[in-house]
């Protein structure tokens, strides 16, 4: 549905996107993460044909962004960051204007505008001037605009930026609902939101793609995972039973006053010794009380991925 | 075509809702009314040739206001405002072509410009009525005069669209357009004076003849004459600046 191959975008001497490749399949909700200035908006602008790429290729819904920009724009509903929309029009007028501009036939226009307003919860402000509604409503009007021609793909640039927590929660629910009918690529730097809504995450940093996978995959691949075991045995016996398992590091064992011992170790990326640990304890006849794999938070993964990239390519190497 | 009409309708609506347009209209009608009344009374008192009426009627300070200031003010927000607010991104990521958006905005400005002149027609009827002058004023040359001013407006509005597409600062866009409009009005005459006798030689005389906007109005349109060379000059000028506007919008792709 969206195919990006080796996309590079330079603005003079500044390289905003430095060779990004990814795919978004039909029906996916992909969260596009990255610190400010990572190249998220630039990539989305290339995908919506606002800027051309310097080199590389991008195909959206089967249309090449260079060869058939009109075809791309017909397939995409785009919500830019900060929702720059005309403030001197009424909500309903604006959506009718946009539907007309997007080539929605007159006969379907009324129905689709009603659908978009209802879906995005802006019916109660339909007669208000856009300049007079709150930031949350304006964001929803922008989303209604993206939806109004019922495009197969929605590209949303920071749809929750500038919203209060309640408005953010509502926007998140809305995006989740829309995911039933649209392929969605949306950018954000609020990780908890992305984790809740996305089926897959792309992490961009300094114009390069640093990570690509489901939230679960990224958490599993990350370092910072720990194995915690509690068993009814002396500390030394517990250490002897578990310390030899593969993929463990930074082992710590301590005794509790109730005759139990606690074992904790860092895990190598990808390692999962839970079954082996249970088997080792069973083989020695040690009663197991608790066995837990602790995953890092997405914030920690994000920090690892982006700071790891900084260490590999010192800041300034890629602007 | 649909994009042009959609943009035209939306922009026209914005003009009619804009307080700036009404301030322009009120100022223009006020000056125009006083001016024309004074002119016709003076002509009647002096027993001047009625045929001169269309020239006197068209070439007046309020016409200069409509030619030098108004096209620049009407078009200053066309693209500068879209750039400043960022709505250009919303507009240009819809399935539209730059040239269609440019044409739609320019046509809206032209229609509004023409609409601004419309209420001055009943003024003529009123002046003609027996309550005022009971004169049989000539309408034909006045109407071709209107045509000339509209064509000049079409050209200058295209210039305004272009200057508006170059910046996100509306004031800068309008001042640049006003500068161009003033240069077009007084430039050829000043150049002619500087050149002296040389102004009669080729290619200067051709260049000056084609660009003397005031002469076109006085010697041609206001006498009821419509010359294809002048039509070509105004419409060609409009097309040229609309082309530049389109390229200026497309230039974001070259960066």
């Amino acid at each position: 549905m969206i195919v990006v191959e080796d996309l590079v975008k330079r603005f003079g001497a500044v390289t905003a996107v430095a060779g990004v490749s990814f795919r978004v399949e039909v029906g996916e909700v992909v969260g596009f993460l990255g610190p400010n200035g990572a190249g998220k908006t630039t990539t989305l602008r290339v995908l919506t044909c606002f800027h051309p790429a310097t080199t590389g290729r991008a195909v959206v819904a089967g249309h090449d962004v260079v060869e058939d920009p009109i075809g791309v724009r017909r397939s995409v509903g785009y919500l830019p960051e900060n929702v720059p929309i005309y403030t001197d029009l009424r909500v309903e007028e604006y959506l009718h204007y946009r539907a007309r501009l997007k080539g929605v036939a007159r006969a379907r226009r009324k129905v689709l505008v009603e659908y978009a307003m209802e879906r995005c919860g802006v019916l109660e402000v339909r007669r208000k001037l856009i300049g007079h509604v709150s930031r949350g409503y304006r964001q929803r009007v922008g989303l209604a605009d993206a939806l109004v021609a019922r495009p197969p793909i929605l590209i949303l640039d920071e749809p929750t930026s500038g919203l209060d927590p309640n408005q953010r929660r509502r926007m998140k629910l809305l995006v989740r609902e829309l995911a039933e009918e649209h392929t969605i690529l949306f950018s954000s730097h609020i990780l908890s939101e992305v984790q809740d809504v996305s089926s897959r995450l792309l992490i961009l940093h300094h114009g390069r793609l640093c990570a690509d996978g489901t939230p679960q995959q990224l958490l599993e691949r990350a370092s910072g995972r720990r194995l915690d075991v509690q068993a009814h045995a002396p500390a030394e016996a517990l250490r002897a039973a578990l310390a030899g398992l593969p993929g463990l590091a930074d082992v710590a064992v301590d005794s509790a006053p109730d005759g139990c011992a606690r074992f904790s170790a860092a895990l190598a990326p990808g390692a999962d010794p839970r079954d082996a640990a249970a088997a080792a304890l069973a083989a020695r006849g040690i009663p197991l009380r608790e066995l837990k794999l602790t995953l890092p938070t997405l914030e920690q993964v994000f920090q690892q991925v982006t700071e790891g990239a900084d260490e590999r390519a010192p800041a300034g190497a890629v602007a | 075509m649909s994009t042009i009409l959609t943009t035209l309708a939306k922009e026209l609506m914005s003009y009619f809702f804009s307080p700036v347009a009404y301030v322009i209209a009120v100022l223009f009608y006020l000056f125009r009314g006083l001016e024309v009344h004074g002119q016709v009374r003076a002509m009647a008192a002096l027993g001047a040739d009625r045929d001169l009426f269309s020239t006197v009627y068209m070439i007046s300070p309020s016409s200069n206001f409509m030619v030098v200031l108004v096209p620049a003010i009407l078009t200053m927000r066309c693209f500068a405002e879209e750039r400043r607010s960022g709505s250009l991104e919303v507009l240009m990521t819809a399935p539209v072509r730059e040239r269609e958006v440019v044409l739609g905005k320019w046509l809206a400005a032209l229609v509004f410009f023409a609409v601004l002149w419309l209420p001055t027609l009943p003024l003529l009827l009123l002046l003609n009525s027996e309550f005022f002058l009971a004169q049989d004023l000539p309408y034909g040359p006045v109407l071709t005069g209107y045509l000339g001013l509209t064509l000049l407006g079409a050209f200058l509005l295209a210039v305004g669209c272009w200057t508006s597409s170059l910046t996100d600062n509306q004031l800068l866009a309008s001042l640049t357009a006003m500068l161009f409009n003033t240069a077009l009005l007084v430039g050829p005459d000043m150049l002619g004076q500087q050149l002296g006798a040389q102004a009669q030689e080729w290619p200067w005389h051709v260049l000056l003849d084609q660009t003397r906007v005031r002469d076109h109005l006085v010697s041609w349109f206001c006498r009821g004459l419509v010359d294809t060379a002048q039509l070509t000059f105004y419409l060609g000028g409009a097309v040229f600046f609309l082309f530049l506007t389109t390229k200026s919008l497309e230039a974001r792709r070259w960066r």
Side-chain angles (χ1 to χ4, degrees):
Chain A
M1 191 52 94
I2 299 178
V3 182
V4 175
E5 289 170 2
D6 213 11
L7 191 80
V8 175
K9 177 67 189 174
R10 289 193 198 96
F11 294 100
V14 177
T15 304
V17 180
V20 165
S21 302
F22 62 87
R23 290 176 73 92
V24 178
E25 301 299 337
V26 179
E28 274 193 307
V29 181
V30 175
F32 208 33
L33 288 169
N36 288 333
K40 302 187 296 287
T41 297
T42 306
T43 309
L44 298 185
R45 281 180 171 169
V46 170
L47 291 178
T48 51
C49 309
F50 187 65
H51 287 316
T54 307
T55 60
R57 188 165 160 265
V59 178
V60 178
H63 307 279
D64 189 287
V65 293
V66 175
E67 285 161 17
D68 185 13
I70 297 289
V72 172
R73 292 173 192 177
R74 277 191 204 290
S75 318
V76 170
Y78 177 45
L79 173 70
E81 194 182 354
N82 299 325
V83 204
I85 51 182
Y86 304 120
T87 49
D88 56 346
L89 294 183
R90 294 179 196 285
V91 169
E92 192 172 4
E93 275 167 5
Y94 175 70
L95 292 174
H96 270 280
Y97 156 68
R98 293 290 294 175
R100 206 175 151 192
L101 202 64
K102 291 176 180 188
V104 175
R106 180 194 284 264
R108 291 185 67 218
R109 218 175 287 153
K110 201 169 174 343
V111 179
L112 287 185
V113 168
E114 287 291 326
Y115 161 82
M117 285 196 296
E118 199 241 306
R119 202 72 211 257
C120 299
V122 293
L123 280 170
E124 59 267 38
V125 294
R126 62 195 294 169
R127 301 289 306 146
K128 283 197 170 179
L129 287 175
I130 294 173
H132 291 177
V133 302
S134 70
R135 175 74 202 246
Y137 273 121
R138 206 151 66 100
Q139 205 93 356
R140 286 199 246 169
V141 173
L143 192 60
D145 166 27
L147 277 187
V148 78
R150 301 291 297 272
I153 300 176
L154 295 179
I155 294 183
L156 315 175
D157 193 2
E158 311 244 353
T160 56
S161 76
L163 299 185
D164 69 32
N166 287 334
Q167 291 170 330
R168 272 217 295 273
R169 188 176 48 80
R170 273 186 234 121
M171 180 60 83
K172 205 166 72 178
L173 288 175
L174 188 56
V175 171
R176 204 184 288 166
E177 280 173 27
L178 292 173
E180 291 163 17
E181 294 166 48
H182 303 268
T183 302
I184 301 179
L185 175 62
F186 79 102
S187 78
S188 179
H189 50 248
I190 301 172
L191 299 159
S192 56
E193 266 161 25
V194 180
Q195 191 170 14
D196 290 348
V197 176
S198 317
S199 56
R200 195 152 62 86
L201 301 177
L202 302 170
I203 301 182
L204 202 65
H205 186 48
H206 286 324
R208 291 180 196 282
L209 198 63
C210 303
D212 177 356
T214 64
Q216 195 59 33
Q217 282 171 341
L218 294 189
L219 293 175
E220 280 168 10
R221 272 185 236 147
S223 55
R225 296 154 69 247
R226 295 193 73 82
L227 178 72
D228 291 299
V229 180
Q230 228 185 99
H232 201 88
E236 279 318 305
L238 192 58
R239 180 191 286 275
L242 299 178
L245 293 175
L248 300 186
D250 194 13
V251 173
V253 185
D254 54 18
S255 305
D258 58 355
C260 283
R262 274 196 297 266
F263 174 94
S264 177
L267 293 177
D272 184 0
R274 280 176 296 181
D275 292 342
L281 293 178
R284 292 172 188 238
I286 299 176
L288 176 65
R289 196 172 264 193
E290 191 184 326
L291 179 79
K292 192 169 69 177
L293 185 76
T294 311
L295 294 176
T297 62
L298 199 58
E299 269 83 3
Q300 287 166 324
V301 174
F302 181 78
Q303 201 182 349
Q304 281 170 24
V305 167
T306 52
E307 286 179 358
D310 279 342
E311 280 157 22
R312 286 193 296 279
V318 181
Chain B
M1 192 63 191
S2 158
T3 303
I4 298 174
L5 293 179
T6 308
T7 310
L8 169 65
K10 188 252 154 197
E11 291 294 318
L12 259 186
M13 200 159 70
S14 293
Y15 280 125
F16 280 107
F17 288 150
S18 151
V20 176
Y22 289 97
V23 171
I24 291 176
V26 167
L27 278 178
F28 174 51
Y29 299 143
L30 190 70
F31 287 125
R32 190 78 179 173
L34 291 171
E35 214 175 61
V36 173
H37 184 244
Q39 285 165 354
V40 178
R41 281 183 77 92
M43 288 183 71
L46 293 170
D49 186 351
R50 285 188 301 111
D51 289 346
L52 276 176
F53 174 73
S54 69
T55 307
V56 173
Y57 177 74
M58 282 299 163
I59 305 297
S60 58
S62 68
S63 295
N64 285 342
F65 167 73
M66 283 294 277
V67 167
V68 175
L69 301 184
V70 173
I73 294 172
L74 288 183
T75 51
M76 66 183 183
R77 52 182 285 283
C78 276
F79 298 100
E81 177 61 15
E82 300 255 16
R83 258 186 216 282
R84 190 199 59 76
S85 71
S87 56
L88 193 68
E89 186 176 356
V90 179
L91 181 62
M92 297 320 304
T93 50
V96 297
R97 291 179 177 85
E98 280 83 356
R99 60 173 182 270
E100 295 170 333
V101 172
V102 169
L103 267 181
K105 284 185 179 259
W106 171 74
L107 276 175
L110 183 58
V111 169
F112 192 78
F113 182 79
V115 166
L116 277 177
W117 284 98
L118 269 187
T120 61
L121 282 173
L123 187 68
L124 280 185
L125 292 175
L126 194 70
L127 285 169
N128 247 359
S129 69
E130 54 184 300
F131 303 108
F132 277 87
L133 301 165
Q135 290 269 345
D136 183 21
L137 297 173
Y139 285 125
V142 173
L143 291 179
T144 50
Y146 272 110
L147 174 71
L149 275 171
T150 310
L151 284 169
L152 179 58
F155 177 18
L156 300 182
L157 288 164
V159 174
C161 282
W162 176 61
T163 59
S164 177
S165 74
L166 297 174
T167 169
D168 58 5
N169 184 331
Q170 291 190 43
L171 187 65
L172 187 63
S174 65
L175 287 177
T176 315
M178 284 174 200
L179 202 66
F180 180 93
N181 299 350
T182 312
L184 187 71
L185 276 192
V186 301
D189 286 335
M190 286 173 68
L191 185 63
Q193 282 170 6
Q194 289 295 317
L195 289 170
Q198 216 187 341
Q200 306 304 320
E201 293 167 16
W202 194 90
W204 295 109
H205 76 280
V206 178
L207 182 75
L208 292 176
D209 278 354
Q210 295 306 320
T211 53
R212 276 196 173 109
V213 172
R214 197 178 281 267
D215 277 6
H216 292 173
L217 278 173
V218 175
S219 315
W220 294 80
F221 289 111
C222 293
R223 288 184 185 173
L225 300 169
V226 179
D227 180 25
T228 44
Q230 288 160 20
L231 279 182
T232 314
F233 173 70
Y234 293 114
L235 294 179
V239 169
F240 176 68
F241 280 99
L242 292 176
F243 171 78
L244 288 186
T245 312
T246 309
K247 289 296 147 197
S248 155
L249 282 189
E250 285 174 358
R252 71 172 196 281
R253 302 198 192 167
W254 311 333
R255 286 195 271 268

